Amino acid sequence: MASSISVSDIMERRDPLAKRTKIICTLGPSCWDVDTLGDLIDNGMNVARLNFSHGDHETHAGTLERLREACAARRHKNVAVMLDTKGPEIRTGKLEGGDKVTYVKDSIVEVVTDYAALGNPGVIACSYSALATSVKVGSTILIADGSLALEVTELLETSVRCRVMNNATIGERKNMNLPGIKVELPVLTEKDINDLQAFGVVHGVDYIAASFVQSAADVRFIREVLGDAGAHIKIICKIENYEGVQNFDEILDVTDGVMVARGDLGMEIPPEKVFLAQKMMIHKCNVRGKPVVTATQMLESMIKAPRPTRAECTDVANAVLDGSDCVMLSGETAGGEYPLQAVQMMAAVCTEAEAMLDYNELFVAMRRATQETSLGMTAAESVASSAVKTAMDVGAKLIVVLSETGTTPRLVAKYRPAMPILVVTAVHEVARQCEGFLKNTTCRVIESMIGTENILVRGVEFGRALGWVSSGDSVVLVHGMKEAQAGSTNSLRVVVAP
């Protein structure tokens, strides 16, 4: 790729709004007024993330109401909503006097599972009751995003003694990680279950980002909790610990998508290995045609600064080049001083990285990788793959997909066509889920899927209105022979725009 980059590539100005990669923005005080939400949508936000580690249902409901008000003023914008669960976090307890405590290198501290105990320079309370039976002598315990590292030196009945490995001052209720240790906690706490059932299902969110998923059983449990009323909600599994990486293949079999959650993952596995885990997960998701999000600290410095570091821009670009369908902003938009500039910069970097890709080569590589798996191709995937190949061969300007469920657009997007994918559907949640997460995908919602020929004509006209199609251009159409029936995609054709 580097050998094909020219000076003109560096100097050319590209439209950030032409990006293919989707952007997830975490909503918070910095951006949750209607005007700012509208600005984020106009500048590239595709998914609004509600972080349930913070706030209550009333606060999130107010944010969601304002988001939908901003969307209502933008009729053709299909912004998805993602509920991110708090998950089974391990935290330190309260401290004597409520103030911060300094821990001195090489001193001995006892980590106790009596969560009511108050911490001091010799004691740290821990919320994980099975700590003493989970770790072993020599294990590392990381606290406050790794600011404080402890080495286990002795196992007691309900606590462990540790050597402090570095000087650090920490406050109350900080996160705790146990690298390389299987944590025996349910994927959903009672709070999470209530958040899913009493908020997610009731308010019609489109995606659940499930924290600390460790197995396929975790995903099945989440689906059970969502029940029939939440069956339409897609599950994005956040891979952020050792066990999740170990069981990644079985998780990928049953999930709708994956988030490479690099914050906690960088605490659970060696930080120098995180980029390898990222590339592995992205590749496997690409081959399976399941959307993948790269997240955490992507433009972190923009919480306080109007411009990112060069390393952050490179990180975003590499995530795109690796094959990410989405990239995510967290504190940058939720609590940062420059939420709009962060989205604009993210969109600009995505667009630049995408311009360096050879989409014909991506198609060939994806086709080969898919054929090398033991899973084979469904009829729908065969049609989707053929549609992209046909579009390449005839120089089509657009691929139009009629869809009831979003499955066929997902499979078309898997093969990374150079031309846009336009999904026409009568289901609003399908439009949000596709346009929110599927790379290079735009959606239009119509009243009914009855009348295939008329819908296909409208699809071409939608493409013309978007500036993608002119008279005489070829357009590839993908649809089913049975009208308004999910799972019937079996046809493709080429038409010339009148």
Side-chain angles (χ1 to χ4, degrees):
M1 182 188 301
S3 62
S4 65
I5 297 173
S6 66
V7 173
S8 62
D9 289 322
I10 298 170
M11 298 303 176
E12 181 182 350
R13 297 184 68 86
R14 297 183 174 88
D15 179 9
L17 296 182
K19 68 179 177 62
R20 302 159 182 261
T21 306
K22 305 300 183 170
I23 296 177
I24 301 173
C25 295
T26 305
L27 304 190
S30 291
C31 69
W32 62 21
D33 62 278
V34 174
D35 289 342
T36 305
L37 289 170
D39 288 341
L40 296 187
I41 294 168
D42 292 340
N43 284 274
M45 177 175 75
N46 304 105
V47 181
R49 172 180 176 246
L50 302 177
N51 184 2
F52 274 66
S53 291
H54 309 284
D56 55 22
H57 287 197
E58 182 180 359
T59 301
H60 288 304
T63 302
L64 186 53
E65 183 179 352
R66 292 188 293 275
L67 173 70
R68 287 175 172 163
E69 181 181 341
C71 290
R74 295 159 176 82
R75 188 164 59 92
H76 289 310
K77 293 289 187 179
N78 300 289
V79 178
V81 176
M82 183 170 72
L83 187 162
D84 198 323
T85 66
K86 184 175 188 295
E89 294 179 316
I90 303 175
R91 289 198 172 269
T92 63
K94 293 188 175 182
L95 302 171
E96 291 179 357
D99 203 359
K100 294 182 178 181
V101 170
T102 297
Y103 295 91
V104 179
K105 182 179 179 181
D106 292 328
S107 64
I108 299 299
V109 63
E110 185 173 354
V111 183
V112 302
T113 56
D114 175 8
Y115 201 53
L118 296 178
N120 58 49
V123 173
I124 296 175
C126 166
S127 64
Y128 183 40
S129 61
L131 177 70
T133 56
S134 297
V135 299
K136 58 187 177 181
V137 172
S139 293
T140 300
I141 298 174
L142 299 176
I143 297 172
D145 295 327
S147 298
L148 174 62
L150 309 176
E151 181 185 14
V152 177
T153 58
E154 184 180 357
L155 304 179
L156 304 174
E157 186 174 351
T158 60
S159 63
V160 297
R161 286 201 178 96
C162 304
R163 180 178 67 84
V164 178
M165 299 174 68
N166 63 286
N167 295 324
T169 301
I170 66 167
E172 298 182 328
R173 296 185 53 76
K174 295 300 181 182
N175 63 311
M176 179 182 289
N177 295 89
L178 309 176
I181 302 297
K182 178 174 173 53
V183 176
E184 300 292 345
L185 289 172
V187 68
L188 297 178
T189 64
E190 288 185 13
K191 176 192 183 306
D192 296 327
I193 292 172
N194 182 59
D195 289 341
L196 297 192
Q197 295 178 338
F199 189 94
V201 173
V202 170
H203 289 277
V205 304
D206 303 296
Y207 283 91
I208 299 297
S211 299
F212 299 102
V213 173
Q214 300 187 87
S215 66
D218 287 346
V219 186
R220 287 190 284 267
F221 176 60
I222 296 167
R223 291 200 193 282
E224 182 181 322
V225 168
L226 289 171
D228 291 340
H232 66 283
I233 300 174
K234 304 292 187 184
I235 298 173
I236 304 295
C237 289
K238 296 170 67 176
I239 306 300
E240 45 193 336
N241 58 23
Y242 177 81
E243 200 73 13
V245 174
Q246 284 284 94
N247 296 328
F248 184 74
D249 290 344
E250 70 171 59
I251 293 169
L252 186 57
D253 283 341
V254 295
T255 188
D256 297 305
V258 167
M259 181 184 293
V260 184
R262 302 177 304 174
D264 279 287
L265 188 60
M267 299 291 106
E268 297 283 339
I269 67 174
E272 68 272 17
K273 298 286 190 181
V274 171
F275 84 98
L276 293 175
Q278 173 177 318
K279 290 177 182 295
M280 178 203 77
M281 288 188 272
I282 290 173
H283 174 72
K284 289 186 174 184
C285 287
N286 289 168
V287 173
R288 293 294 295 274
K290 296 193 176 184
V292 55
V293 183
T294 300
T296 319
Q297 298 175 328
M298 301 211 80
L299 297 177
E300 183 88 352
S301 69
M302 290 193 75
I303 293 174
K304 293 292 184 184
R307 289 172 59 84
T309 67
R310 263 53 75 196
E312 288 169 338
C313 289
T314 302
D315 180 41
V316 174
N318 280 328
V320 174
L321 297 176
D322 284 346
S324 299
D325 295 271
C326 312
V327 286
M328 191 171 95
L329 294 167
S330 299
E332 300 96 329
T333 51
E337 297 177 15
Y338 304 96
L340 179 58
Q341 290 89 334
V343 175
Q344 291 170 332
M345 180 57 67
M346 183 77 91
V349 176
C350 288
T351 306
E352 292 297 332
E354 291 158 2
M356 297 299 102
L357 294 171
D358 184 321
Y359 292 95
N360 289 353
E361 286 186 3
L362 286 179
F363 171 83
V364 172
M366 187 54 61
R367 177 91 180 174
R368 184 186 305 117
T370 301
Q371 291 172 332
E372 289 173 354
T373 69
S374 59
L375 299 172
M377 272 194 192
T378 62
E381 180 163 0
S382 179
V383 171
S385 169
S386 298
V388 177
K389 179 65 165 63
T390 300
M392 290 164 49
D393 290 344
V394 303
K397 299 298 184 182
L398 176 66
I399 300 175
V400 176
V401 185
L402 275 55
S403 183
E404 295 271 1
T405 65
T407 298
T408 303
R410 176 173 61 81
L411 295 173
V412 173
K414 166 183 173 175
Y415 287 93
R416 301 300 194 240
M419 62 292 300
I421 304 164
L422 177 64
V423 180
V424 182
T425 182
V427 185
H428 285 275
E429 68 200 30
V430 169
R432 293 192 300 270
Q433 289 170 344
C434 289
E435 191 167 317
F437 268 82
L438 300 184
K439 198 158 193 166
N440 194 25
T441 300
T442 301
C443 298
R444 288 293 180 265
V445 180
I446 58 175
E447 302 78 21
S448 168
M449 298 301 283
I450 300 296
T452 299
E453 295 303 317
N454 287 335
I455 295 171
L456 292 173
V457 170
R458 289 183 69 184
V460 174
E461 290 307 309
F462 286 142
R464 191 193 307 274
L466 286 162
W468 296 334
V469 176
S470 301
S471 296
D473 288 338
S474 295
V475 178
V476 171
L477 311 175
V478 183
H479 60 96
M481 294 299 290
K482 297 180 181 179
E483 293 185 345
Q485 180 172 322
S488 66
T489 299
N490 59 4
S491 303
L492 73 90
R493 65 176 105 164
V494 180
V495 300
V496 176

